[in-house]
Amino acid sequence: MFTTFKRIFKSGWNSFSRDGELAAATVFILVLSIFLITSLFLFRGISQFLISLLEEKADISVYFKEEVTEEDILNLKEELAKIPEVKEIKYVSREKALAEFIQRHKDNPVLMTSLEEIGRNPFLASLNVRAFETIQYQAISNFFENPPFKNLVEKVDYYQRKPVIERIFFLTSTINRTGIFLSIVLAVVVILVTFNTIRLAIYNSGEEIKIQRLVGAPNWFIQGPFLVQGAISGIFATLICLAIFSLICWILSPKIEIFFPGLNIFQFFVSNFWTILLIQLATGVGLGVISSAIAIRKYLKV
């Protein structure tokens, strides 16, 4: 049995190395297929980063009257945290709001002069509230309309920020839908192109397959070398694609980080290296073997 498998593997390797042009064409198509699948994986990681970045900008601020004590605000914060729609709450004291304003506009002499002329801290304490979904901000805003809390609140900026919040969540949902659509379309294209390329390679071996059938070779023995050839093509394509992606991520990472600080695609690639390798290997070997198995069935039924 071992000898038989050895012969099958040797025959598959000889076919791969003998038909150099067809082998190169098959590997090239598999490289493109693996490249597209890996690109989708990286796109998913990048889109999740962008979605998180956008969602961080979606919140509402609740400003409290000057006479409201910090203790009352923190008590209200605890009550607000019990609402299931609330994802995160951040308390900003009057002193912190003033310090952040000065830090942000310290190079603007007009604003700094105006602040000095006021002679006091003009900022109000606030709670920055983030929800899980855009439709939930209305419920959070209504929470402050209740009598126990209404007298403490100076302003809730929900209605001023509502258009921005809705646009942010529209963008995030669009990114998710686009990713799913691209995944389906590219997966179909990858399978069709790979299958037709390998079928063409097997077509050139049609006469050889007929001779093997005439001498009584079993189907699995005829099919084996082509499956091995498909697996070898997938392995070579994986190694080539892995090298290409490593180089692309290393070159583009500093440039992309200029536009999206914190988005380091090379670091993402390195931290997910084994996952990416497994995806590429499964795609390359899987497409090579499955396409070979499907394409050769026509000749085995003759």
Side-chain angles (χ1 to χ4, degrees):
M1 182 63 70
F2 177 76
T3 304
T4 303
F5 281 116
K6 185 178 178 181
R7 287 176 180 172
I8 290 174
F9 181 83
K10 186 177 180 180
S11 178
W13 172 257
N14 289 337
S15 297
F16 176 82
S17 57
R18 182 179 64 244
D19 301 328
E21 293 182 0
L22 281 174
T26 304
V27 170
F28 177 73
I29 293 299
L30 286 173
V31 166
L32 293 180
S33 303
I34 296 169
F35 189 90
L36 290 174
I37 297 298
T38 310
S39 297
L40 287 174
F41 178 79
L42 289 179
F43 174 79
R44 181 178 174 275
I46 293 171
S47 64
Q48 289 300 317
F49 174 85
L50 294 177
I51 287 171
S52 300
L53 200 64
L54 288 171
E55 287 180 344
E56 286 179 2
K57 299 181 182 297
D59 63 1
I60 62 173
S61 295
V62 183
Y63 298 93
F64 296 91
K65 297 177 180 179
E66 288 190 22
E67 63 270 17
V68 178
T69 64
E70 183 174 290
E71 183 180 356
D72 290 334
I73 297 174
L74 293 178
N75 289 336
L76 190 150
K77 179 184 176 184
E78 291 180 4
E79 293 296 321
L80 183 61
K82 297 176 182 178
I83 300 178
E85 292 85 357
V86 173
K87 182 179 181 180
E88 183 181 354
I89 309 173
K90 181 182 177 183
Y91 169 62
V92 181
S93 65
R94 297 183 63 195
E95 294 74 18
K96 186 176 181 180
L98 176 62
E100 289 178 351
F101 180 86
I102 293 173
Q103 179 64 29
R104 191 163 53 247
H105 301 288
K106 60 184 178 181
D107 297 325
N108 190 324
V110 176
L111 290 178
M112 291 297 99
T113 301
S114 301
L115 189 62
E116 290 177 4
E117 289 177 355
I118 293 175
R120 63 183 184 85
N121 185 353
F123 296 96
L124 300 173
S126 64
L127 291 177
N128 293 336
V129 187
R130 289 175 57 199
F132 290 96
E133 298 180 14
T134 180
I135 58 174
Q136 296 173 333
Y137 281 104
Q138 181 66 63
I140 295 172
S141 179
N142 293 340
F143 172 83
F144 296 99
E145 297 296 327
N146 295 326
F149 313 118
K150 190 174 182 179
N151 296 331
L152 304 177
V153 176
E154 179 71 26
K155 182 181 71 171
V156 179
D157 68 354
Y158 168 66
Y159 291 102
Q160 291 89 338
R161 306 187 72 171
K162 184 178 179 181
V164 177
I165 292 171
E166 289 179 345
R167 181 158 184 80
I168 286 173
F169 278 89
F170 171 77
L171 288 173
T172 58
S173 61
T174 300
I175 290 172
N176 277 324
R177 287 197 299 269
T178 302
I180 294 171
F181 175 76
L182 285 176
S183 299
I184 295 172
V185 171
L186 290 179
V188 172
V189 171
V190 161
I191 292 170
L192 290 177
V193 172
T194 306
F195 170 73
N196 283 292
T197 303
I198 292 178
R199 185 172 64 175
L200 178 62
I202 293 176
Y203 174 79
N204 289 339
S205 303
E207 290 300 322
E208 181 183 337
I209 295 172
K210 289 179 182 178
I211 292 171
Q212 287 181 317
R213 287 181 59 81
L214 286 173
V215 298
N219 286 347
W220 63 268
F221 186 84
I222 299 172
Q223 193 177 34
F226 293 99
L227 300 183
V228 170
Q229 190 174 349
I232 292 172
S233 299
I235 292 170
F236 272 96
T238 297
L239 295 175
I240 293 170
C241 199
L242 192 66
I244 292 172
F245 253 97
S246 301
L247 186 62
I248 290 175
C249 290
W250 181 68
I251 293 173
L252 293 183
S253 187
K255 297 177 176 60
I256 293 176
E257 201 164 9
I258 294 174
F259 298 98
F260 301 102
L263 178 58
N264 189 319
I265 61 171
F266 183 71
Q267 183 61 42
F268 178 81
F269 178 84
V270 172
S271 60
N272 292 276
F273 176 81
W274 295 110
T275 303
I276 292 172
L277 177 60
L278 183 62
I279 290 172
Q280 292 186 341
L281 199 59
T283 302
V285 176
L287 283 175
V289 171
I290 293 171
S291 298
S292 297
I294 295 173
I296 201 175
R297 285 176 63 187
K298 173 185 174 182
Y299 299 95
L300 298 179
K301 292 179 179 178
V302 175

